[in-house]
Amino acid sequence: MADDPLINDPEGGLPRLARIMARLRDRETGCPWDIEQDFDSIAPYTIEEAYEVADAIARRDWDGLKGELGDLMFQSVYHAQMAEEAGLFTLDDVLRGIADKMVARHPHVFGDAVIDSAEAQTDAWETLKARERAARAQGGVLDDVPVGHAGLTRAVKLQKRAARVGFDWPEIGQVVAKIAEEAQELTEAAPEDRFEEYGDLLFVMANLARHLDIDPEAALRAANDKFTRRFRSIEAALAAQGRSPADSDLAEMDALWDAAKAAEKAARRG
């Protein structure tokens, strides 16, 4: 094994990674686990790695980001290898495709078009994407919004598409009123209808995020982090007394929560 060229491949980079992936999938000498995988079984790992990239960025862990980007790239190579085995396409096809797409979608960089702002570029990008959908005989406004997106993200994308053809509330107040309406329907719903009504409420909450130009997934991640941080403050305060949350009650923990909240606000003002 010491003379295996893939262990210390001087070519390095993406070509080496692709060759390693091919070796892992080799039916005779590869890894049994990797050989057994297919697109469906690997897709959840791909989504997980994308979230880990976002997490590293949120934590400003730049060394960690390097590793997470590598993990995410490996997922792309994994899917491309399986596609090549199935005779669908190759990794080179993937790379050529994305390169061609970026050139086509940036005519102001690789051509003579003039785009003088990020907002204008966003509008031009969506126009080009609409033409691409039409060329693929996808005429519906919502045709290519990926079903694999996180729920809130997909909701925003669906709403943005609908808004482009005028299907949207023009005022934020109307969205807020709809949230109140959906919340009321949820509280009054029969048990068998609560799942659907809760989904409706989340969908309208995503719409409010869109109107406020807020990424709902990022906002929820921030809320999760805040909850974690403050609950750990509760645990720390109780631990200093030789106790745990199980030894406390809601009133005491609420008071400790408020103290942690006040301390955070004071730190921000300082």
Side-chain angles (χ1 to χ4, degrees):
M1 295 293 292
D3 59 350
D4 188 329
L6 288 184
I7 295 177
N8 187 21
D9 187 344
E11 187 174 20
L14 188 58
R16 180 188 180 202
L17 183 59
R19 292 168 63 196
I20 289 172
M21 186 69 254
R23 177 80 66 83
L24 291 173
R25 291 276 297 179
D26 187 284
R27 298 295 170 180
E28 295 182 0
T29 62
C31 170
W33 187 89
D34 286 295
I35 292 169
E36 289 182 359
Q37 304 313 305
D38 58 25
F39 292 111
D40 292 321
S41 67
I42 291 299
Y45 295 102
T46 308
I47 295 170
E48 178 182 338
E49 295 298 350
Y51 276 118
E52 291 183 1
V53 166
D55 178 66
I57 293 171
R59 291 184 290 106
R60 297 299 187 261
D61 179 5
W62 307 126
D63 190 60
L65 177 60
K66 177 179 67 175
E68 298 301 346
L69 287 172
D71 291 342
L72 184 58
M73 184 173 293
F74 180 72
Q75 294 296 308
S76 295
V77 172
Y78 209 132
H79 285 287
Q81 175 63 32
M82 292 187 292
E84 183 171 357
E85 293 167 5
L88 301 174
F89 53 80
T90 68
L91 179 60
D92 282 344
D93 294 331
V94 173
L95 297 175
R96 280 196 300 271
I98 187 59
D100 290 345
K101 181 188 292 185
M102 290 303 102
V103 170
R105 289 187 179 176
H106 293 84
H108 56 298
V109 176
F110 302 102
D112 299 327
V114 176
I115 295 178
D116 56 8
S117 70
E119 183 178 359
Q121 167 58 13
T122 297
D123 292 340
W125 182 280
E126 294 302 335
T127 299
L128 288 168
K129 287 173 67 176
R131 291 174 185 167
E132 291 170 4
R133 288 195 298 274
R136 294 194 300 268
Q138 290 181 315
V141 172
L142 309 179
D143 278 358
D144 66 341
V145 178
V147 297
H149 273 314
L152 290 173
T153 298
R154 185 164 191 258
V156 169
K157 287 184 176 291
L158 290 169
Q159 294 157 3
K160 283 183 177 179
R161 289 286 185 84
R164 289 193 201 112
V165 294
F167 192 70
D168 190 19
W169 284 295
E171 301 292 336
I172 289 180
Q174 295 171 291
V175 185
V176 174
K178 186 64 175 177
I179 289 173
E181 176 187 325
E182 294 293 352
Q184 184 67 27
E185 290 181 5
L186 176 59
T187 61
E188 297 173 352
E192 64 271 18
D193 296 328
R194 289 172 184 165
F195 179 88
E196 180 179 352
E197 295 297 342
Y198 183 71
D200 292 344
L201 178 58
L202 283 179
F203 191 83
V204 183
M205 289 297 297
N207 207 345
L208 179 60
R210 180 177 64 85
H211 276 267
L212 294 173
D213 196 25
I214 291 172
D215 178 348
E217 295 287 350
L220 184 56
R221 284 197 298 272
N224 289 340
D225 291 342
K226 180 169 62 178
F227 179 86
T228 300
R229 187 171 60 250
R230 291 180 181 173
F231 191 81
R232 285 175 176 164
S233 293
I234 293 174
E235 291 178 313
L238 291 171
Q241 304 171 21
R243 297 190 295 146
S244 72
D247 304 317
S248 183
D249 58 28
L250 179 58
E252 181 181 26
M253 287 190 285
D254 266 341
L256 292 172
W257 176 280
D258 289 340
K261 180 178 179 180
E264 288 183 2
K265 288 185 177 179
R268 285 199 296 270
R269 288 196 298 269

